[in-house]
């Protein structure tokens, strides 16, 4: 390995150390599972590494990496749409006690509602509202028009509102 290769390896290693925790949190928002988030981050970093020497602007890496992550997420969901195992509705662990923090419950309701969206809808919501990107930036990342971003995001938000209402409605004990 020559010095140039070593310099590229070192710069990439520094980038990974700095970026991995944030990438993992962002991936969790997309996939809703920490183990799947780790897998998505690993795939993202592998893809970025393959292009590392060709990347001109290392100052714009977070945007490039985010785009790679979202596209990998969508591709993965499309590829396994019909072959994925279906998860059961209940967890093997007992439900948390009712007096625990309300924010945790709200977050769980939101994540459950997000998991019912398609990969594309979930990616749109993630990019617009979690990453706080403009419609034009989301359109560029998703490779579609701004009008498509607006209409698809509106539809996804309507679905989320309906599902959050159903999930958060108090259950009547008869």
């Amino acid at each position: 390995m020559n010095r140039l290769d070593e310099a590229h390896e070192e710069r990439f290693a520094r980038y990974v150390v700095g970026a991995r925790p944030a990438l993992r949190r962002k991936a969790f928002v997309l996939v809703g599972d920490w183990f799947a988030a780790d897998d998505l981050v690993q795939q993202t970093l592998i893809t970025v590494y393959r292009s590392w020497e060709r990347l001109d602007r290392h100052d714009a890496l977070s945007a490039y990496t985010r785009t790679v992550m979202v596209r990998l997420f969508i591709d993965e969901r499309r590829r396994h749409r019909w072959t994925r195992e279906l998860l059961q509705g209940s967890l093997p662990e007992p439900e948390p006690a009712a007096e625990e923090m309300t924010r945790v419950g709200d977050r769980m309701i939101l994540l459950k509602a997000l998991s019912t969206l398609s990969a594309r809808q979930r990616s749109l919501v993630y990019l617009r509202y979690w990453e706080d990107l403009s419609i034009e930036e989301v359109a560029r990342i998703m490779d579609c028009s701004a009008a498509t971003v607006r209409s698809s995001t509106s539809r996804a938000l309507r679905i989320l509102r309906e599902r959050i209402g159903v999930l958060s409605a108090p259950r009547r004990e008869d």
Side-chain angles (χ1 to χ4, degrees), residues 148-164:
T148 300
V149 170
R150 282 191 292 275
S151 64
S152 297
T153 303
S154 174
R155 198 169 315 124
L157 289 175
R158 187 180 68 247
I159 291 168
L160 272 179
R161 284 185 196 102
E162 291 170 3
R163 292 183 181 157
I164 286 173

Side-chain angles (χ1 to χ4, degrees), residues 106-170:
D106 292 345
R107 181 175 285 180
M108 290 175 70
I109 290 170
L110 177 60
L111 288 173
K112 185 170 180 105
L114 279 170
S115 71
T116 65
L117 295 177
S118 71
R120 186 166 181 86
Q121 289 172 326
R122 191 169 180 166
S123 297
L124 285 166
V125 170
Y126 164 75
L127 291 170
R128 278 291 287 139
Y129 300 104
W130 187 270
E131 289 291 326
D132 197 28
L133 297 179
S134 69
I135 290 173
E136 291 74 24
E137 290 171 314
V138 174
R140 185 181 41 74
I141 290 170
M142 299 294 290
D143 197 27
C144 62
S145 71
T148 300
V149 170
R150 282 191 292 275
S151 64
S152 297
T153 303
S154 174
R155 198 169 315 124
L157 289 175
R158 187 180 68 247
I159 291 168
L160 272 179
R161 284 185 196 102
E162 291 170 3
R163 292 183 181 157
I164 286 173
V166 169
L167 292 171
S168 63

Side-chain angles (χ1 to χ4, degrees), residues 28-153:
F28 177 77
V29 172
L30 284 171
V31 298
D33 174 74
W34 287 112
F35 296 110
D38 288 335
D39 291 343
L40 180 58
V41 169
Q42 188 66 28
Q43 285 300 113
T44 300
L45 291 173
I46 288 169
T47 303
V48 170
Y49 178 76
R50 288 181 180 147
S51 304
W52 188 255
E53 289 185 26
R54 293 188 309 268
L55 295 175
D56 295 340
R57 296 185 49 216
H58 287 231
D59 58 323
L61 274 176
S62 66
Y64 175 75
T65 304
R66 180 182 51 237
T67 300
V68 168
M69 182 186 298
V70 168
R71 289 183 180 175
L72 285 172
F73 169 69
I74 292 171
D75 289 346
E76 169 72 16
R77 298 297 174 169
R78 283 182 186 153
R79 193 175 315 119
H80 295 292
R81 184 177 305 172
W82 302 109
T83 61
R84 278 221 174 295
E85 294 179 19
L86 297 176
L87 300 176
Q88 296 299 316
S90 61
L91 297 172
E93 300 87 19
E95 290 290 321
E99 62 272 353
E100 290 188 31
M101 298 184 302
T102 307
R103 288 181 57 193
V104 172
D106 292 345
R107 181 175 285 180
M108 290 175 70
I109 290 170
L110 177 60
L111 288 173
K112 185 170 180 105
L114 279 170
S115 71
T116 65
L117 295 177
S118 71
R120 186 166 181 86
Q121 289 172 326
R122 191 169 180 166
S123 297
L124 285 166
V125 170
Y126 164 75
L127 291 170
R128 278 291 287 139
Y129 300 104
W130 187 270
E131 289 291 326
D132 197 28
L133 297 179
S134 69
I135 290 173
E136 291 74 24
E137 290 171 314
V138 174
R140 185 181 41 74
I141 290 170
M142 299 294 290
D143 197 27
C144 62
S145 71
T148 300
V149 170
R150 282 191 292 275
S151 64
S152 297
T153 303

